[in-house]
Amino acid sequence: MKTIRIGIAGGAGYTGGELISVLINHPHAEIVFVHSNSNAGKPISDVHTDLFGDTDLKFSDTLSQNIDVLFLCVGHGDAKKFLDANPINENVKIIDLSQDFRLNNNSTLAKRNFVYGLPELNRESIKKSDNIANPGCFATCIQLGLLPLAASGNLNSEIHINATTGSSGAGQSPGATTHFTWRNNNLSVYKPFEHQHLNEIGESLTHLQKNFIEEISFIPQRGNFSRGILAAIYLESSLSLEQAQKLYSDYYESHPFTHLSLKNIDLKQVVNTNKALVYLEKHGNKLFIISIIDNLLKGASGQAVQNMNLMFGLDEMAGLKLKGIRF
């Protein structure tokens, strides 16, 4: 099988590091360059120290067009600027991990059309696409908790979401709310009812359920752990628990990374993996949903590689059969 030649732009951050770690162990991938202006010439393992002994690659400040796919791991708002400043050959596929092309009204750049890269929603479109807008981490976790209901027309009330993310979700650049002394033994709410991922969540749900007009109330929280997202969701539903469980089992039956659990779930089951787990309970007329992912893998770099696999006709799980650290 053909080896996929890969370029990575913005390789010094968390998502870039996770991507490199997955791809150097991918059976069909060859990393041609990892671009970083500020780290050019340095060994990648000087920045991503967990890769010491795994790769001799160095950061580059130049781009090669002799690649099959370019991953953009640059900051939000910088992907468009990067592509404007560095035109990429049309035969090179692009997978963008920023939010620049996720929304319908932001999905075009010159002749490039971006498909929203949530495989559990758009798998067939991803297979035929040359350009992918990788979903946000909160958006991935929350949508995987709701897609089966939307696909069956069962979103008929306000949706209430409380979701907590680890500190790596804020990126590698240090800030007041990522400093260890502030984050440790602490919990805080930010952007209540206004988080930017609400837009892509809403677009996906209305794509599946055209008449969905209900409010989505989302309270994001910063947790005092490094990685992972747990979303606790509830809404009114006439479905019995057994009916809801069948809906979810049937919807995710053909999706290898997303699974319905019949037992309560916790973050350590998915951290360091590309898996998503969903658990359901029924309380009176309310359906309660827990959804969990690793924000850096299924919420970012792992999902990006999953999309690459689909785009190039590979086994969807290639390079992604990762084992979490349970304790």
Side-chain angles (χ1 to χ4, degrees):
M1 185 174 290
K2 176 187 174 183
T3 297
I4 301 168
R5 292 174 58 80
I6 293 163
I8 300 171
Y14 286 146
T15 57
E18 291 292 301
L19 188 61
I20 296 164
S21 180
V22 171
L23 290 174
I24 61 176
N25 293 294
H26 193 293
H28 308 297
E30 176 192 353
I31 300 176
V32 175
F33 67 83
V34 180
H35 182 273
S36 172
N37 286 324
S38 60
N39 292 285
K42 289 183 183 178
I44 284 172
S45 58
D46 278 5
V47 174
H48 303 298
T49 55
D50 57 308
L51 296 179
F52 181 77
D54 293 335
T55 179
D56 295 324
L57 281 168
K58 294 183 178 181
F59 290 105
S60 170
D61 59 359
T62 59
L63 303 175
S64 169
Q65 299 282 356
N66 187 23
I67 55 175
D68 301 303
V69 60
L70 175 67
F71 289 89
L72 296 178
C73 299
V74 297
H76 300 309
D78 292 334
K80 286 182 177 180
K81 295 176 185 176
F82 184 90
L83 293 177
D84 284 339
N86 302 279
I88 304 300
N89 290 341
E90 288 186 20
N91 63 326
V92 175
K93 299 179 188 292
I94 294 175
I95 301 175
D96 176 32
L97 280 75
S98 82
Q99 65 185 16
D100 290 17
F101 304 108
R102 290 175 188 162
L103 302 181
N104 286 335
N105 60 350
N106 291 335
S107 63
T108 60
L109 179 79
K111 297 179 181 179
R112 295 186 182 272
N113 293 313
F114 283 77
V115 168
Y116 187 66
L118 185 63
E120 291 81 359
L121 176 69
N122 287 328
R123 178 195 271 159
E124 296 308 311
S125 297
I126 292 166
K127 288 179 180 178
K128 296 179 284 187
S129 176
D130 290 329
N131 305 288
I132 295 296
N134 217 57
C137 51
F138 267 134
T140 294
C141 188
I142 292 166
Q143 287 175 91
L144 293 177
L146 294 170
L147 291 183
L149 295 174
S152 59
N154 278 290
L155 291 179
N156 301 306
S157 74
E158 181 178 355
I159 300 169
H160 301 266
I161 306 163
N162 183 295
T164 306
T165 185
S167 57
S168 58
Q172 193 171 37
S173 297
T177 60
T178 60
H179 197 287
F180 177 81
T181 54
W182 188 90
R183 196 91 176 205
N184 188 47
N185 297 322
N186 203 1
L187 185 67
S188 64
V189 169
Y190 71 111
K191 298 181 182 178
F193 304 102
E194 298 176 349
H195 196 279
Q196 64 273 15
H197 289 183
L198 276 169
N199 294 320
E200 55 188 285
I201 294 168
E203 282 194 358
S204 295
L205 297 182
T206 53
H207 172 73
L208 289 177
Q209 185 175 326
K210 305 298 182 188
N211 66 345
F212 176 68
I213 57 171
E214 303 295 338
E215 189 171 356
I216 304 173
S217 296
F218 174 30
I219 310 299
Q221 294 185 162
R222 304 180 184 96
N224 68 339
F225 49 92
S226 295
R227 57 196 298 163
I229 295 176
L230 185 148
I233 307 166
Y234 71 90
L235 68 159
E236 294 181 5
S237 175
S238 61
L239 296 170
S240 68
L241 178 60
E242 292 74 19
Q243 288 172 324
Q245 288 173 333
K246 186 175 189 315
L247 270 182
Y248 279 72
S249 294
D250 289 349
Y251 188 93
Y252 289 125
E253 183 177 13
S254 63
H255 294 285
F257 289 110
T258 303
H259 307 278
L260 175 70
S261 173
L262 298 183
K263 297 179 180 179
N264 203 344
I265 54 181
D266 62 85
L267 272 184
K268 283 190 175 181
Q269 291 176 266
V270 297
V271 167
N272 297 317
T273 80
N274 198 54
K275 290 192 296 185
L277 298 184
V278 181
Y279 169 71
L280 307 176
E281 291 182 359
K282 194 71 192 291
H283 297 272
N285 69 338
K286 291 183 174 61
L287 180 64
F288 178 56
I289 306 156
I290 302 175
S291 179
I292 55 174
I293 63 167
D294 184 309
N295 59 295
L296 293 178
L297 285 167
K298 183 58 175 166
S301 303
Q303 186 151 251
V305 173
Q306 185 181 353
N307 282 321
M308 181 193 79
N309 289 341
L310 290 170
M311 294 166 80
F312 287 91
L314 304 176
D315 175 0
E316 190 170 346
M317 300 183 77
L320 291 167
K321 296 178 182 178
L322 310 172
K323 177 68 174 71
I325 301 172
R326 187 70 182 105
F327 296 108

